[in-house]
Amino acid sequence: MFPNVEQYLNSSKALMQSQASAFQTLAGSALESAEKVATLNLAAMKASAQDFGNVLTQATTARDPQAFFALVTAQFQPNNEKAASYARYLGEIFTETQQIFAKTAEAQVAEVSRAATAIVDQFASAAPAGSSDAMALVKSMMGTANAVYEQVNKVAKQTGEAMQAQAANLSGQFVKPVQAAANQTVSAVADSAAA
């Protein structure tokens, strides 16, 4: 009358192993992403410190205020490009991590769904007579849950794509105002030199 307990134990063991593997994948990916962000930040700080040192060295050789301001404003363009590059690389790290998380979650949900279906089928085969309606209801609920998951997964993918596009747009929008400010500073320096 009752399904084989050993089958349930084997199914549960396989499911637990799958979940442990998924956790290891997600944890490894999160740590790898954190390492990449830390490396990116350290490289950016190192480059920034070197650039600042170079500007200070060059600033000490400036003969007048106009030369000093020209030197400082000349640094805006390379810094804009570095900031945009930083934002792009950070976006790439985020996208890569998001894709790994999505694939892992997708695989895990498929595994859980498969295991749950197998358990329900085992129960259905050993269920007493007259319980077919209850088993049909359980199977229907599982089908609905899978449909909801697929819809949520679709929305999550669209959200990830939208965030990627937003990050690219943001890096472009960051560069434009800084370039405009640099141009205004250069114009102000040129106007003060002319006066």
Side-chain angles (χ1 to χ4, degrees):
M1 177 157 187
F2 290 104
N4 188 348
V5 174
E6 191 174 320
Q7 288 177 335
Y8 290 127
L9 292 176
N10 288 338
S11 295
S12 296
K13 182 180 176 182
L15 184 60
M16 291 299 285
Q17 288 173 341
S18 171
Q19 289 176 343
S21 175
F23 177 76
Q24 287 175 337
T25 300
L26 294 175
S29 176
L31 289 173
E32 185 178 318
S33 294
E35 181 182 6
K36 287 179 180 179
V37 169
T39 301
L40 176 65
N41 286 338
L42 287 173
M45 285 188 280
K46 182 178 177 181
S48 179
Q50 286 177 337
D51 289 348
F52 183 70
N54 291 340
V55 169
L56 282 179
T57 301
Q58 292 174 1
T60 59
T61 63
R63 290 180 235 126
D64 55 26
Q66 286 82 13
F68 174 78
F69 285 117
L71 174 68
V72 171
T73 56
Q75 295 302 313
F76 278 121
Q77 183 63 30
N79 288 340
N80 292 342
E81 292 169 5
K82 289 176 186 176
S85 176
Y86 175 87
R88 277 191 299 275
Y89 191 65
L90 200 58
E92 289 172 9
I93 293 171
F94 169 76
T95 300
E96 181 182 317
T97 304
Q98 186 266 340
Q99 288 172 347
I100 291 170
F101 273 57
K103 286 179 185 176
T104 303
E106 219 172 284
Q108 189 61 29
V109 168
E111 177 64 22
V112 168
S113 177
R114 185 204 57 76
T117 301
I119 290 172
V120 169
D121 288 344
Q122 289 172 355
F123 270 124
S125 66
S131 62
S132 61
D133 289 341
M135 287 293 130
L137 178 63
V138 169
K139 287 182 180 182
S140 173
M141 289 183 341
M142 287 178 58
T144 302
N146 284 338
V148 167
Y149 165 73
E150 287 177 14
Q151 188 62 28
V152 168
N153 192 29
K154 181 180 176 182
V155 169
K157 284 181 182 179
Q158 290 173 344
T159 302
E161 291 169 0
M163 289 176 76
Q164 228 176 339
Q166 187 67 15
N169 188 26
L170 182 63
S171 67
Q173 287 180 352
F174 174 76
V175 172
K176 291 177 186 175
V178 176
Q179 285 176 338
N183 291 340
Q184 288 176 347
T185 305
V186 169
S187 294
V189 168
D191 290 345
S192 67

